[in-house]
Amino acid sequence: MKKIQMVDLIGQYKHIKPQINNAFTSILDTAYYIGGPKVKEFQTDLEKYLDIKHVIPCANGTDALQIAMMGLGLKPGDEVITVDFTFAATVEVIALLNLTPVLVDVEEATFNMDIEALKKAITPRTKAIVPVHLFGQCANMEAILTIAKQYNLFVIEDNAQAIGADYTFSNGTKKKAGTMGNVGTTSFFPSKNLGCYGDGGAIFTNDNNLAHIIRGIVNHGMYKRYYHDVVGVNSRLDSLQAAVLQIKLPLLDSYCEARQEAAKFYSDAFADCHKIEIPKISDFTTHVFHQYTLKTNNIDRNALHQHLLDNGIPNAIYYPVPLHSQKAYTNTRYDENDFKVTNKLIQTVISLPMHTELNKEQQQFIVDTVLKFCN
Ligand SMILES: *Cc1c(COP(=O)(O)O)cnc(C)c1O
């Protein structure tokens, strides 16, 4: 059996090697390393795919979040609500901009923002909500957008993990993950569902004015060459990365399907096992399985983690520490009782290998090895 990996970027590259190598050669031959036609072409392709007016490429997903918040004009002291159970980038940029992060708990079933916790966290200083579409499925955007409208708050979707997922509103309207709020952000880090071969990110919006502001911010606050109207940053997607993304974007739906098939195989196999709980998919969203995350039930999660490692199966704990307990982000405003779900999840979650290249033999071995531990 081929060695199992958490993600298999080399296996995926092999299927597109000629296109990638040709694209790289033509960029090297023209020395269009920064800017050039590829970035613009990819931008346009992604705008079409997402059905959104503006995609602004940038250097990574963390920058994308920071720039989105700068573009919205958030000011020091403004409170920004996000989730306790996610990667730290989301809360990091809030703190970097001297905004006040307000962490809220997540739903146990979906790992996404808990709507009651969100409502409870709103104060007169709240200015924005940052839902994270964790592990590949959307948060309850209909509820979040309704609350945002009621309290006049911005919504920034952190879509680093769910690019390609579809959301269906109760009136039947469908939208792509990341295109529902005022602004959406994503990451093209190599292991993300749409990953390049280095760092990359993008910001999405349908708001013409916001798009204009953001295009200046990513380029040192310049709207006219050498005239700096606002304090900006330097955050660019380079041409080599744009070329990779342009080749991979038409394959994104098939990549999502490969992940969904592997997830279905896992979930079917685990359905009757009471010691582990399979991921639940909300009915308003598709799930593109950036991660396939189980919850253990009255068994030792850490022992399962070690059992899988002992059998050559990589696996990971996303995330082992709640953000409210991280040294950088502790705050006396928090009450442990407000994070009951996250505090439990960090003890019970375990993510299995999930990527586009998992073959049936590997999937079967993973399933058998998990079940052997549980029986
Ligand atoms: C990966 C990730 C980011 C950061 O993306 P980078 O490109 O690594 O900066 C932000 N938020 C979430 C939820 C992520 O998974």
Side-chain angles (χ1 to χ4, degrees):
M1 187 176 58
K2 198 176 155 211
K3 187 172 179 290
I4 297 173
Q5 293 177 276
M6 199 64 188
V7 289
D8 182 1
L9 298 175
I10 295 169
Q12 196 188 57
Y13 165 61
K14 283 185 179 151
H15 299 296
I16 50 174
K17 190 168 179 166
Q19 294 102 295
I20 297 279
N21 292 7
N22 285 342
F24 276 20
T25 303
S26 70
I27 291 167
L28 298 177
D29 285 341
T30 58
Y32 265 134
Y33 307 126
I34 299 286
K38 282 288 163 206
V39 179
K40 188 76 201 216
E41 282 169 28
F42 168 64
Q43 174 188 320
T44 308
D45 291 353
L46 189 56
E47 284 165 353
K48 276 198 203 114
Y49 175 84
L50 293 172
D51 191 19
I52 193 142
K53 279 199 209 159
H54 306 281
V55 165
I56 302 113
C58 66
N60 58 69
T62 309
D63 275 8
L65 283 161
Q66 177 178 333
I67 293 159
M69 288 176 206
M70 291 168 76
L72 290 169
L74 301 180
K75 295 280 175 311
D78 288 351
E79 292 180 2
V80 179
I81 299 175
T82 193
V83 283
D84 193 33
F85 188 67
T86 183
F87 182 58
T90 327
V91 69
E92 177 180 58
V93 301
I94 298 171
L96 265 178
L97 293 172
N98 285 318
L99 310 171
T100 305
V102 177
L103 297 167
V104 298
D105 211 356
V106 294
E107 297 175 344
E108 193 163 356
T110 64
F111 312 116
N112 276 327
M113 185 175 274
D114 183 279
I115 301 304
E116 291 311 311
L118 164 63
K119 285 185 193 161
K120 214 179 129 191
I122 293 171
T123 77
R125 285 185 299 281
T126 308
K127 287 287 156 24
I129 310 169
V130 188
V132 180
H133 302 317
L134 202 74
F135 299 154
Q137 71 172 322
C138 294
N140 185 347
M141 287 303 291
E142 187 151 356
I144 291 167
L145 291 170
T146 303
I147 292 164
K149 197 166 177 197
Q150 188 183 346
Y151 292 93
N152 199 21
L153 309 174
F154 295 120
V155 176
I156 304 161
E157 295 173 71
D158 181 347
N159 195 32
Q161 300 190 4
I163 194 157
D166 291 306
Y167 190 95
T168 308
F169 287 87
S170 52
N171 67 6
T173 310
K174 276 189 199 298
K175 290 211 172 165
K176 284 281 178 202
T179 67
M180 296 171 271
N182 301 85
V183 57
T185 65
T186 201
S187 164
F188 303 124
F189 185 79
S191 64
K192 304 281 164 145
N193 288 29
L194 179 62
C196 56
Y197 297 165
D199 275 310
I203 304 152
F204 326 133
T205 185
N206 277 313
D207 180 331
N208 296 337
N209 185 44
L210 181 61
H212 171 75
I213 293 169
I214 287 175
R215 286 210 173 89
I217 292 174
V218 297
N219 188 25
H220 301 289
M222 280 196 287
Y223 296 89
K224 194 174 142 195
R225 203 159 170 77
Y226 300 123
Y227 290 81
H228 303 270
D229 295 356
V230 297
V231 177
V233 295
N234 169 23
S235 190
R236 294 185 281 242
L237 183 73
D238 70 68
S239 300
L240 293 168
Q241 306 314 329
V244 173
L245 293 166
Q246 199 189 14
I247 290 162
K248 287 177 74 172
L249 179 61
L251 301 169
L252 176 59
D253 287 344
S254 68
Y255 289 162
C256 292
E257 280 160 27
R259 289 169 177 275
Q260 286 163 338
E261 270 175 39
K264 185 172 186 307
F265 187 85
Y266 288 156
S267 286
D268 286 350
F270 299 144
D272 297 327
C273 174
H274 301 299
K275 293 177 183 163
I276 47 178
E277 219 175 296
I278 60 176
K280 181 185 177 295
I281 309 174
S282 301
D283 49 16
F284 47 71
T285 176
T286 61
H287 197 319
V288 295
F289 289 99
H290 176 59
Q291 299 296 342
Y292 181 91
T293 305
L294 293 169
K295 281 179 294 209
T296 56
N297 208 351
N298 295 318
I299 54 168
D300 183 347
R301 189 273 315 269
N302 294 343
L304 173 59
H305 167 71
Q306 193 56 49
H307 168 77
L308 293 176
L309 288 183
D310 292 345
N311 284 278
I313 300 174
N315 65 97
I317 310 305
Y318 299 124
Y319 295 91
V321 183
L323 291 179
H324 81 271
S325 308
Q326 298 283 2
K327 271 191 208 149
Y329 304 113
T330 52
N331 190 310
T332 50
R333 76 189 288 151
Y334 298 135
D335 176 346
E336 281 305 312
N337 286 320
D338 290 332
F339 300 108
K340 284 202 184 88
V341 175
T342 299
N343 285 340
K344 182 175 170 195
L345 290 176
I346 56 151
Q347 315 266 7
T348 56
V349 287
I350 181 163
S351 298
L352 298 185
M354 175 50 70
H355 55 78
T356 57
E357 312 301 311
L358 278 170
N359 65 38
K360 275 278 156 339
E361 187 190 16
Q362 294 174 315
Q363 293 173 30
Q364 189 66 54
F365 180 71
I366 293 165
V367 159
D368 292 344
T369 311
V370 170
L371 289 175
K372 204 185 291 166
F373 181 85
C374 296
N375 291 332

